[in-house]
Amino acid sequence: MAAAGGEPSAPSSSDDLFQNFYTEVKQIEKRDSVLTSKQQIDRLLRPGASYFNLNPFEVLQIDPEATDVELKKRFRALSILVHPDKNQDDPDRAQKAFEAVDKAYKLLLEPEQKKRAVDVISAGREYIEHMMKEKKKQLKKDGKPVFVEEDDPEMFRQAVYKQTMKLFAELEIKRKEREAKDMHERKRAREEEIETAEKAKRDREWQKNFEETRDGRVDSWRTFQSKGKKKEKKNRSFLKPPKVKMEQRE
């Protein structure tokens, strides 16, 4: 429906916009669900797949509101489609595609991980809706028609998709940074542990050597002392007082 002056009207509410968004998503899912094995493998391994595939719902091409039964059904259909046994002309790429599908499915089987993924998607949608409100507020202030490109369901879908992908990527980068930091700290702690153990070992060996050689050091000192006394006595026995020269008297 068009507004006065030929301007297209905006959806009546964010809920309508959201519903239009998911209607579009489901249409795309239905279209892509009939992709051939090769097309699905290409989709899962396309440039940037390491980030595209962070969204498990995107990997499986399934609605976040899908039931567990629907999820299992979709996984089975897609995993068979990209399985290496079915794609023996390109087993290596098929194996990678299969692993991406398997990883996404296992992630969504965990309630906590599934909730996290849903929250990211919701955050992406809320961000776009907020930006739309801000844009419209500025347009109204400037006396311009209150219409933004995201009012178009397809543009809204693309904007949410891009923002969601960005959020998943940011979370993955932060996860890797934490992992690298934890690994560094574990490595440093391990090095300190090894150094402490080696120092304790050196101290024990030094103490042991000190104890084992103590009697020998005492005997050596006593022998040294004894020889010193004998030498001193011997030297004293050979000492003779100087002769006094008698003066002759006339």
Short mmCIF file of all heavy atoms in Angstrom, two decimals, residues 40-104:
data_model
loop_
_atom_site.label_atom_id
_atom_site.label_comp_id
_atom_site.label_asym_id
_atom_site.label_seq_id
_atom_site.Cartn_x
_atom_site.Cartn_y
_atom_site.Cartn_z
N GLN A 40 24.95 -27.29 -2.43
CA GLN A 40 25.01 -27.19 -0.96
C GLN A 40 26.46 -27.18 -0.47
O GLN A 40 26.81 -26.43 0.43
CB GLN A 40 24.25 -28.36 -0.31
CG GLN A 40 22.74 -28.24 -0.36
CD GLN A 40 22.21 -27.15 0.57
OE1 GLN A 40 22.96 -26.39 1.17
NE2 GLN A 40 20.89 -27.08 0.69
N ILE A 41 27.28 -27.99 -1.09
CA ILE A 41 28.70 -28.01 -0.72
C ILE A 41 29.33 -26.66 -1.02
O ILE A 41 30.09 -26.12 -0.21
CB ILE A 41 29.44 -29.15 -1.46
CG1 ILE A 41 28.96 -30.51 -0.94
CG2 ILE A 41 30.95 -29.01 -1.27
CD1 ILE A 41 29.50 -31.69 -1.72
N ASP A 42 29.01 -26.12 -2.19
CA ASP A 42 29.53 -24.80 -2.57
C ASP A 42 29.04 -23.74 -1.58
O ASP A 42 29.80 -22.84 -1.21
CB ASP A 42 29.08 -24.43 -3.98
CG ASP A 42 29.78 -25.26 -5.06
OD1 ASP A 42 30.84 -25.85 -4.74
OD2 ASP A 42 29.28 -25.31 -6.19
N ARG A 43 27.80 -23.83 -1.18
CA ARG A 43 27.25 -22.86 -0.22
C ARG A 43 27.97 -22.92 1.12
O ARG A 43 28.32 -21.89 1.71
CB ARG A 43 25.75 -23.13 -0.01
CG ARG A 43 25.08 -22.20 1.00
CD ARG A 43 23.64 -22.58 1.22
NE ARG A 43 23.51 -23.83 1.96
CZ ARG A 43 23.54 -23.90 3.30
NH1 ARG A 43 23.69 -22.82 4.03
NH2 ARG A 43 23.40 -25.07 3.89
N LEU A 44 28.22 -24.12 1.59
CA LEU A 44 28.84 -24.31 2.90
C LEU A 44 30.34 -24.01 2.90
O LEU A 44 30.92 -23.79 3.96
CB LEU A 44 28.60 -25.74 3.38
CG LEU A 44 27.14 -26.07 3.72
CD1 LEU A 44 26.95 -27.57 3.87
CD2 LEU A 44 26.72 -25.35 5.00
N LEU A 45 30.95 -24.01 1.71
CA LEU A 45 32.40 -23.77 1.61
C LEU A 45 32.72 -22.50 0.84
O LEU A 45 33.87 -22.29 0.46
CB LEU A 45 33.09 -24.97 0.95
CG LEU A 45 32.93 -26.33 1.65
CD1 LEU A 45 33.70 -27.40 0.90
CD2 LEU A 45 33.38 -26.27 3.11
N ARG A 46 31.73 -21.64 0.64
CA ARG A 46 31.96 -20.40 -0.10
C ARG A 46 32.96 -19.51 0.65
O ARG A 46 33.15 -19.66 1.86
CB ARG A 46 30.64 -19.65 -0.32
CG ARG A 46 29.98 -19.12 0.96
CD ARG A 46 28.56 -18.71 0.64
NE ARG A 46 27.87 -18.09 1.75
CZ ARG A 46 27.31 -18.74 2.76
NH1 ARG A 46 27.42 -20.07 2.84
NH2 ARG A 46 26.66 -18.08 3.71
N PRO A 47 33.59 -18.55 -0.06
CA PRO A 47 34.52 -17.64 0.61
C PRO A 47 33.86 -16.97 1.82
O PRO A 47 32.74 -16.49 1.73
CB PRO A 47 34.84 -16.62 -0.50
CG PRO A 47 34.66 -17.39 -1.77
CD PRO A 47 33.49 -18.30 -1.51
N GLY A 48 34.58 -16.97 2.93
CA GLY A 48 34.03 -16.39 4.14
C GLY A 48 33.17 -17.36 4.93
O GLY A 48 32.53 -16.99 5.92
N ALA A 49 33.18 -18.63 4.52
CA ALA A 49 32.34 -19.64 5.19
C ALA A 49 32.67 -19.80 6.66
O ALA A 49 31.81 -20.13 7.47
CB ALA A 49 32.49 -20.98 4.47
N SER A 50 33.93 -19.56 7.02
CA SER A 50 34.32 -19.71 8.43
C SER A 50 33.52 -18.77 9.32
O SER A 50 33.31 -19.05 10.50
CB SER A 50 35.82 -19.44 8.60
OG SER A 50 36.15 -18.13 8.17
N TYR A 51 33.06 -17.64 8.75
CA TYR A 51 32.23 -16.71 9.50
C TYR A 51 30.74 -16.93 9.21
O TYR A 51 29.91 -16.87 10.12
CB TYR A 51 32.62 -15.27 9.21
CG TYR A 51 33.92 -14.88 9.88
CD1 TYR A 51 35.11 -14.80 9.16
CD2 TYR A 51 33.97 -14.64 11.25
CE1 TYR A 51 36.30 -14.49 9.78
CE2 TYR A 51 35.16 -14.33 11.88
CZ TYR A 51 36.32 -14.25 11.15
OH TYR A 51 37.51 -13.95 11.77
N PHE A 52 30.39 -17.19 7.95
CA PHE A 52 28.98 -17.46 7.62
C PHE A 52 28.46 -18.65 8.44
O PHE A 52 27.33 -18.63 8.92
CB PHE A 52 28.83 -17.79 6.12
CG PHE A 52 29.01 -16.59 5.22
CD1 PHE A 52 29.99 -16.56 4.24
CD2 PHE A 52 28.17 -15.49 5.34
CE1 PHE A 52 30.14 -15.47 3.41
CE2 PHE A 52 28.32 -14.38 4.51
CZ PHE A 52 29.30 -14.37 3.55
N ASN A 53 29.30 -19.65 8.60
CA ASN A 53 28.89 -20.88 9.26
C ASN A 53 28.89 -20.80 10.78
O ASN A 53 28.64 -21.80 11.45
CB ASN A 53 29.77 -22.04 8.80
CG ASN A 53 29.58 -22.38 7.33
OD1 ASN A 53 28.63 -21.90 6.70
ND2 ASN A 53 30.48 -23.17 6.77
N LEU A 54 29.16 -19.63 11.32
CA LEU A 54 29.09 -19.46 12.78
C LEU A 54 27.64 -19.47 13.25
O LEU A 54 27.35 -19.76 14.41
CB LEU A 54 29.76 -18.15 13.20
CG LEU A 54 31.27 -18.09 13.04
CD1 LEU A 54 31.78 -16.68 13.33
CD2 LEU A 54 31.95 -19.10 13.96
N ASN A 55 26.73 -19.14 12.33
CA ASN A 55 25.30 -19.16 12.64
C ASN A 55 24.76 -20.56 12.30
O ASN A 55 24.61 -20.89 11.12
CB ASN A 55 24.57 -18.10 11.82
CG ASN A 55 23.08 -18.03 12.14
OD1 ASN A 55 22.54 -18.90 12.83
ND2 ASN A 55 22.42 -17.01 11.65
N PRO A 56 24.49 -21.37 13.31
CA PRO A 56 24.06 -22.75 13.02
C PRO A 56 22.74 -22.83 12.27
O PRO A 56 22.52 -23.77 11.50
CB PRO A 56 23.94 -23.37 14.43
CG PRO A 56 23.69 -22.19 15.34
CD PRO A 56 24.52 -21.09 14.75
N PHE A 57 21.87 -21.85 12.46
CA PHE A 57 20.59 -21.84 11.74
C PHE A 57 20.82 -21.56 10.26
O PHE A 57 20.11 -22.09 9.40
CB PHE A 57 19.66 -20.78 12.34
CG PHE A 57 19.27 -21.06 13.76
CD1 PHE A 57 19.80 -20.31 14.80
CD2 PHE A 57 18.38 -22.08 14.07
CE1 PHE A 57 19.45 -20.56 16.11
CE2 PHE A 57 18.02 -22.34 15.39
CZ PHE A 57 18.56 -21.58 16.41
N GLU A 58 21.84 -20.73 9.98
CA GLU A 58 22.19 -20.43 8.59
C GLU A 58 22.77 -21.67 7.92
O GLU A 58 22.48 -21.96 6.76
CB GLU A 58 23.21 -19.29 8.57
CG GLU A 58 23.92 -19.09 7.24
CD GLU A 58 23.00 -18.56 6.15
OE1 GLU A 58 21.91 -18.07 6.48
OE2 GLU A 58 23.38 -18.64 4.98
N VAL A 59 23.59 -22.42 8.64
CA VAL A 59 24.19 -23.64 8.10
C VAL A 59 23.11 -24.65 7.73
O VAL A 59 23.12 -25.23 6.63
CB VAL A 59 25.17 -24.27 9.12
CG1 VAL A 59 25.65 -25.64 8.62
CG2 VAL A 59 26.36 -23.35 9.36
N LEU A 60 22.18 -24.87 8.65
CA LEU A 60 21.14 -25.86 8.43
C LEU A 60 19.94 -25.33 7.65
O LEU A 60 19.04 -26.08 7.30
CB LEU A 60 20.65 -26.41 9.77
CG LEU A 60 21.71 -27.14 10.61
CD1 LEU A 60 21.15 -27.54 11.96
CD2 LEU A 60 22.23 -28.36 9.87
N GLN A 61 19.94 -24.01 7.41
CA GLN A 61 18.84 -23.35 6.68
C GLN A 61 17.49 -23.67 7.34
O GLN A 61 16.58 -24.20 6.71
CB GLN A 61 18.83 -23.81 5.22
CG GLN A 61 20.09 -23.41 4.46
CD GLN A 61 20.10 -23.95 3.05
OE1 GLN A 61 19.90 -25.16 2.83
NE2 GLN A 61 20.33 -23.11 2.08
N ILE A 62 17.43 -23.36 8.62
CA ILE A 62 16.23 -23.67 9.39
C ILE A 62 15.86 -22.50 10.29
O ILE A 62 16.74 -21.74 10.74
CB ILE A 62 16.44 -24.95 10.22
CG1 ILE A 62 15.11 -25.50 10.73
CG2 ILE A 62 17.40 -24.71 11.36
CD1 ILE A 62 15.21 -26.90 11.30
N ASP A 63 14.59 -22.33 10.55
CA ASP A 63 14.08 -21.25 11.37
C ASP A 63 14.51 -21.44 12.82
O ASP A 63 14.46 -22.56 13.34
CB ASP A 63 12.54 -21.25 11.28
CG ASP A 63 11.94 -19.96 11.82
OD1 ASP A 63 12.24 -19.63 12.97
OD2 ASP A 63 11.16 -19.30 11.09
N PRO A 64 14.91 -20.37 13.50
CA PRO A 64 15.28 -20.48 14.92
C PRO A 64 14.15 -21.01 15.79
O PRO A 64 14.40 -21.54 16.88
CB PRO A 64 15.62 -19.03 15.30
CG PRO A 64 16.09 -18.43 14.02
CD PRO A 64 15.20 -19.03 12.97
N GLU A 65 12.91 -20.89 15.32
CA GLU A 65 11.77 -21.37 16.08
C GLU A 65 11.40 -22.81 15.74
O GLU A 65 10.39 -23.34 16.23
CB GLU A 65 10.57 -20.45 15.85
CG GLU A 65 10.80 -19.02 16.33
CD GLU A 65 9.61 -18.12 16.07
OE1 GLU A 65 8.62 -18.60 15.47
OE2 GLU A 65 9.65 -16.95 16.46
N ALA A 66 12.21 -23.45 14.92
CA ALA A 66 11.92 -24.83 14.52
C ALA A 66 11.96 -25.76 15.73
O ALA A 66 12.72 -25.56 16.67
CB ALA A 66 12.93 -25.29 13.48
N THR A 67 11.13 -26.79 15.70
CA THR A 67 11.08 -27.76 16.79
C THR A 67 12.27 -28.72 16.68
O THR A 67 12.94 -28.78 15.64
CB THR A 67 9.77 -28.57 16.74
OG1 THR A 67 9.77 -29.35 15.52
CG2 THR A 67 8.56 -27.65 16.76
N ASP A 68 12.50 -29.50 17.72
CA ASP A 68 13.59 -30.48 17.71
C ASP A 68 13.37 -31.52 16.63
O ASP A 68 14.32 -32.02 16.02
CB ASP A 68 13.71 -31.15 19.08
CG ASP A 68 14.22 -30.21 20.15
OD1 ASP A 68 14.79 -29.16 19.78
OD2 ASP A 68 14.06 -30.51 21.35
N VAL A 69 12.10 -31.87 16.40
CA VAL A 69 11.77 -32.85 15.35
C VAL A 69 12.13 -32.30 13.98
O VAL A 69 12.73 -32.99 13.15
CB VAL A 69 10.27 -33.22 15.40
CG1 VAL A 69 9.90 -34.12 14.22
CG2 VAL A 69 9.94 -33.92 16.71
N GLU A 70 11.78 -31.04 13.75
CA GLU A 70 12.10 -30.39 12.47
C GLU A 70 13.61 -30.24 12.30
O GLU A 70 14.13 -30.41 11.19
CB GLU A 70 11.44 -29.01 12.42
CG GLU A 70 9.93 -29.06 12.32
CD GLU A 70 9.27 -27.70 12.45
OE1 GLU A 70 9.85 -26.84 13.17
OE2 GLU A 70 8.20 -27.49 11.85
N LEU A 71 14.28 -29.95 13.40
CA LEU A 71 15.74 -29.81 13.37
C LEU A 71 16.41 -31.13 12.98
O LEU A 71 17.29 -31.17 12.12
CB LEU A 71 16.24 -29.35 14.75
CG LEU A 71 17.76 -29.27 14.94
CD1 LEU A 71 18.35 -28.23 13.99
CD2 LEU A 71 18.09 -28.91 16.39
N LYS A 72 15.96 -32.20 13.60
CA LYS A 72 16.52 -33.52 13.31
C LYS A 72 16.26 -33.93 11.86
O LYS A 72 17.13 -34.48 11.17
CB LYS A 72 15.93 -34.56 14.26
CG LYS A 72 16.51 -35.95 14.10
CD LYS A 72 15.94 -36.89 15.15
CE LYS A 72 16.56 -38.29 15.01
NZ LYS A 72 16.02 -39.22 16.04
N LYS A 73 15.06 -33.64 11.40
CA LYS A 73 14.68 -33.97 10.03
C LYS A 73 15.54 -33.20 9.03
O LYS A 73 16.01 -33.76 8.03
CB LYS A 73 13.20 -33.65 9.82
CG LYS A 73 12.67 -34.03 8.44
CD LYS A 73 11.19 -33.71 8.32
CE LYS A 73 10.65 -34.06 6.93
NZ LYS A 73 9.20 -33.73 6.80
N ARG A 74 15.76 -31.92 9.31
CA ARG A 74 16.55 -31.10 8.42
C ARG A 74 18.01 -31.54 8.42
O ARG A 74 18.65 -31.60 7.36
CB ARG A 74 16.44 -29.62 8.84
CG ARG A 74 17.27 -28.67 8.00
CD ARG A 74 16.89 -28.79 6.53
NE ARG A 74 17.75 -27.96 5.69
CZ ARG A 74 17.93 -28.18 4.40
NH1 ARG A 74 17.33 -29.19 3.79
NH2 ARG A 74 18.70 -27.37 3.69
N PHE A 75 18.52 -31.86 9.57
CA PHE A 75 19.91 -32.33 9.66
C PHE A 75 20.10 -33.60 8.84
O PHE A 75 21.07 -33.73 8.10
CB PHE A 75 20.29 -32.58 11.11
CG PHE A 75 21.56 -33.38 11.26
CD1 PHE A 75 22.79 -32.85 10.92
CD2 PHE A 75 21.50 -34.71 11.70
CE1 PHE A 75 23.96 -33.60 11.03
CE2 PHE A 75 22.66 -35.46 11.81
CZ PHE A 75 23.89 -34.92 11.47
N ARG A 76 19.17 -34.53 9.01
CA ARG A 76 19.29 -35.80 8.29
C ARG A 76 19.29 -35.58 6.78
O ARG A 76 20.13 -36.14 6.06
CB ARG A 76 18.14 -36.73 8.70
CG ARG A 76 18.19 -38.08 8.00
CD ARG A 76 17.16 -39.04 8.57
NE ARG A 76 17.14 -40.29 7.83
CZ ARG A 76 18.02 -41.26 7.96
NH1 ARG A 76 19.02 -41.12 8.81
NH2 ARG A 76 17.95 -42.37 7.26
N ALA A 77 18.38 -34.75 6.31
CA ALA A 77 18.27 -34.51 4.86
C ALA A 77 19.54 -33.84 4.31
O ALA A 77 20.07 -34.24 3.27
CB ALA A 77 17.05 -33.64 4.57
N LEU A 78 20.02 -32.82 5.04
CA LEU A 78 21.19 -32.08 4.57
C LEU A 78 22.47 -32.89 4.69
O LEU A 78 23.34 -32.84 3.81
CB LEU A 78 21.32 -30.76 5.36
CG LEU A 78 22.35 -29.75 4.86
CD1 LEU A 78 22.11 -29.41 3.38
CD2 LEU A 78 22.30 -28.48 5.71
N SER A 79 22.61 -33.64 5.78
CA SER A 79 23.83 -34.44 5.97
C SER A 79 23.95 -35.54 4.92
O SER A 79 25.05 -35.86 4.46
CB SER A 79 23.84 -35.06 7.38
OG SER A 79 22.74 -35.93 7.56
N ILE A 80 22.83 -36.11 4.53
CA ILE A 80 22.85 -37.13 3.47
C ILE A 80 23.24 -36.49 2.15
O ILE A 80 24.01 -37.05 1.36
CB ILE A 80 21.46 -37.80 3.34
CG1 ILE A 80 21.19 -38.67 4.57
CG2 ILE A 80 21.38 -38.64 2.06
CD1 ILE A 80 19.80 -39.28 4.61
N LEU A 81 22.75 -35.28 1.93
CA LEU A 81 23.00 -34.57 0.67
C LEU A 81 24.48 -34.26 0.46
O LEU A 81 24.99 -34.34 -0.65
CB LEU A 81 22.18 -33.28 0.64
CG LEU A 81 21.87 -32.66 -0.73
CD1 LEU A 81 21.10 -33.64 -1.60
CD2 LEU A 81 21.08 -31.37 -0.54
N VAL A 82 25.17 -33.90 1.55
CA VAL A 82 26.58 -33.49 1.41
C VAL A 82 27.55 -34.57 1.88
O VAL A 82 28.77 -34.35 1.92
CB VAL A 82 26.86 -32.19 2.20
CG1 VAL A 82 25.98 -31.06 1.69
CG2 VAL A 82 26.66 -32.38 3.70
N HIS A 83 27.06 -35.73 2.24
CA HIS A 83 27.93 -36.79 2.77
C HIS A 83 28.96 -37.21 1.71
O HIS A 83 28.63 -37.31 0.51
CB HIS A 83 27.09 -38.00 3.19
CG HIS A 83 27.83 -38.92 4.10
ND1 HIS A 83 28.75 -39.84 3.65
CD2 HIS A 83 27.78 -39.06 5.46
CE1 HIS A 83 29.25 -40.52 4.67
NE2 HIS A 83 28.67 -40.06 5.78
N PRO A 84 30.20 -37.46 2.14
CA PRO A 84 31.25 -37.87 1.19
C PRO A 84 30.88 -39.09 0.36
O PRO A 84 31.27 -39.19 -0.81
CB PRO A 84 32.44 -38.18 2.11
CG PRO A 84 32.20 -37.31 3.31
CD PRO A 84 30.72 -37.30 3.50
N ASP A 85 30.14 -40.04 0.94
CA ASP A 85 29.75 -41.25 0.19
C ASP A 85 28.85 -40.91 -0.99
O ASP A 85 28.82 -41.64 -1.98
CB ASP A 85 29.01 -42.22 1.12
CG ASP A 85 29.95 -42.82 2.16
OD1 ASP A 85 31.17 -42.70 1.99
OD2 ASP A 85 29.45 -43.40 3.15
N LYS A 86 28.13 -39.82 -0.88
CA LYS A 86 27.22 -39.41 -1.96
C LYS A 86 27.93 -38.51 -2.96
O LYS A 86 27.40 -38.22 -4.03
CB LYS A 86 26.00 -38.68 -1.36
CG LYS A 86 24.91 -38.36 -2.37
CD LYS A 86 23.71 -37.71 -1.69
CE LYS A 86 22.66 -37.27 -2.70
NZ LYS A 86 22.08 -38.42 -3.44
N ASN A 87 29.13 -38.05 -2.58
CA ASN A 87 29.86 -37.12 -3.44
C ASN A 87 31.29 -37.62 -3.64
O ASN A 87 32.27 -36.95 -3.31
CB ASN A 87 29.89 -35.73 -2.80
CG ASN A 87 28.50 -35.14 -2.63
OD1 ASN A 87 27.96 -34.53 -3.54
ND2 ASN A 87 27.92 -35.32 -1.45
N GLN A 88 31.40 -38.81 -4.18
CA GLN A 88 32.70 -39.45 -4.33
C GLN A 88 33.58 -38.78 -5.38
O GLN A 88 34.78 -39.05 -5.45
CB GLN A 88 32.51 -40.94 -4.67
CG GLN A 88 31.85 -41.70 -3.53
CD GLN A 88 31.77 -43.20 -3.80
OE1 GLN A 88 32.34 -43.69 -4.76
NE2 GLN A 88 31.05 -43.92 -2.94
N ASP A 89 32.99 -37.91 -6.17
CA ASP A 89 33.78 -37.17 -7.15
C ASP A 89 34.50 -35.98 -6.49
O ASP A 89 35.41 -35.40 -7.07
CB ASP A 89 32.91 -36.66 -8.29
CG ASP A 89 31.78 -35.78 -7.79
OD1 ASP A 89 31.29 -36.03 -6.66
OD2 ASP A 89 31.39 -34.84 -8.50
N ASP A 90 34.07 -35.64 -5.28
CA ASP A 90 34.69 -34.52 -4.55
C ASP A 90 34.61 -34.80 -3.04
O ASP A 90 34.02 -34.03 -2.28
CB ASP A 90 33.96 -33.21 -4.88
CG ASP A 90 34.77 -31.98 -4.48
OD1 ASP A 90 35.89 -32.15 -3.97
OD2 ASP A 90 34.26 -30.87 -4.65
N PRO A 91 35.22 -35.91 -2.58
CA PRO A 91 35.07 -36.35 -1.19
C PRO A 91 35.66 -35.40 -0.15
O PRO A 91 35.11 -35.26 0.94
CB PRO A 91 35.79 -37.70 -1.17
CG PRO A 91 36.80 -37.60 -2.29
CD PRO A 91 36.11 -36.81 -3.35
N ASP A 92 36.75 -34.72 -0.49
CA ASP A 92 37.40 -33.84 0.49
C ASP A 92 36.52 -32.65 0.83
O ASP A 92 36.32 -32.32 2.01
CB ASP A 92 38.75 -33.36 -0.05
CG ASP A 92 39.77 -34.49 -0.16
OD1 ASP A 92 39.57 -35.51 0.53
OD2 ASP A 92 40.73 -34.35 -0.93
N ARG A 93 35.99 -31.99 -0.19
CA ARG A 93 35.12 -30.85 0.05
C ARG A 93 33.80 -31.29 0.69
O ARG A 93 33.25 -30.60 1.55
CB ARG A 93 34.84 -30.08 -1.25
CG ARG A 93 36.10 -29.46 -1.84
CD ARG A 93 35.80 -28.69 -3.11
NE ARG A 93 35.16 -27.40 -2.81
CZ ARG A 93 33.92 -27.08 -3.17
NH1 ARG A 93 33.17 -27.94 -3.83
NH2 ARG A 93 33.42 -25.90 -2.88
N ALA A 94 33.33 -32.45 0.28
CA ALA A 94 32.10 -32.98 0.86
C ALA A 94 32.28 -33.26 2.35
O ALA A 94 31.39 -33.00 3.16
CB ALA A 94 31.69 -34.27 0.13
N GLN A 95 33.45 -33.77 2.70
CA GLN A 95 33.74 -34.05 4.12
C GLN A 95 33.71 -32.77 4.95
O GLN A 95 33.16 -32.74 6.05
CB GLN A 95 35.11 -34.73 4.24
CG GLN A 95 35.53 -35.07 5.67
CD GLN A 95 34.62 -36.07 6.33
OE1 GLN A 95 34.12 -36.99 5.68
NE2 GLN A 95 34.39 -35.91 7.63
N LYS A 96 34.29 -31.70 4.42
CA LYS A 96 34.30 -30.42 5.13
C LYS A 96 32.88 -29.87 5.28
O LYS A 96 32.52 -29.33 6.33
CB LYS A 96 35.18 -29.42 4.38
CG LYS A 96 36.67 -29.75 4.42
CD LYS A 96 37.48 -28.74 3.63
CE LYS A 96 38.96 -29.09 3.65
NZ LYS A 96 39.78 -28.13 2.85
N ALA A 97 32.08 -30.00 4.23
CA ALA A 97 30.70 -29.53 4.27
C ALA A 97 29.91 -30.35 5.29
O ALA A 97 29.11 -29.80 6.06
CB ALA A 97 30.06 -29.64 2.89
N PHE A 98 30.13 -31.65 5.29
CA PHE A 98 29.44 -32.53 6.24
C PHE A 98 29.80 -32.17 7.67
O PHE A 98 28.94 -32.15 8.57
CB PHE A 98 29.80 -33.99 5.96
CG PHE A 98 29.19 -34.96 6.94
CD1 PHE A 98 27.87 -35.37 6.80
CD2 PHE A 98 29.94 -35.45 8.00
CE1 PHE A 98 27.30 -36.24 7.71
CE2 PHE A 98 29.38 -36.32 8.92
CZ PHE A 98 28.06 -36.73 8.78
N GLU A 99 31.07 -31.87 7.92
CA GLU A 99 31.53 -31.50 9.26
C GLU A 99 30.87 -30.20 9.72
O GLU A 99 30.54 -30.04 10.91
CB GLU A 99 33.05 -31.36 9.27
CG GLU A 99 33.77 -32.70 9.16
CD GLU A 99 35.28 -32.55 8.97
OE1 GLU A 99 35.75 -31.38 8.89
OE2 GLU A 99 35.98 -33.58 8.89
N ALA A 100 30.68 -29.26 8.79
CA ALA A 100 30.02 -27.99 9.13
C ALA A 100 28.56 -28.23 9.53
O ALA A 100 28.07 -27.65 10.51
CB ALA A 100 30.08 -27.03 7.95
N VAL A 101 27.89 -29.11 8.80
CA VAL A 101 26.49 -29.44 9.10
C VAL A 101 26.41 -30.17 10.45
O VAL A 101 25.54 -29.87 11.28
CB VAL A 101 25.90 -30.33 7.98
CG1 VAL A 101 24.52 -30.86 8.37
CG2 VAL A 101 25.80 -29.53 6.69
N ASP A 102 27.29 -31.12 10.65
CA ASP A 102 27.30 -31.90 11.89
C ASP A 102 27.57 -31.01 13.10
O ASP A 102 26.94 -31.16 14.16
CB ASP A 102 28.37 -33.00 11.79
CG ASP A 102 28.34 -33.94 12.98
OD1 ASP A 102 27.30 -34.59 13.19
OD2 ASP A 102 29.35 -34.02 13.70
N LYS A 103 28.51 -30.10 12.95
CA LYS A 103 28.85 -29.18 14.04
C LYS A 103 27.67 -28.29 14.40
O LYS A 103 27.37 -28.07 15.59
CB LYS A 103 30.05 -28.32 13.63
CG LYS A 103 30.50 -27.34 14.70
CD LYS A 103 31.69 -26.53 14.23
CE LYS A 103 32.13 -25.52 15.30
NZ LYS A 103 33.30 -24.72 14.83
N ALA A 104 26.99 -27.76 13.39
CA ALA A 104 25.83 -26.89 13.62
C ALA A 104 24.72 -27.65 14.33
O ALA A 104 24.08 -27.14 15.26
CB ALA A 104 25.34 -26.32 12.30
#
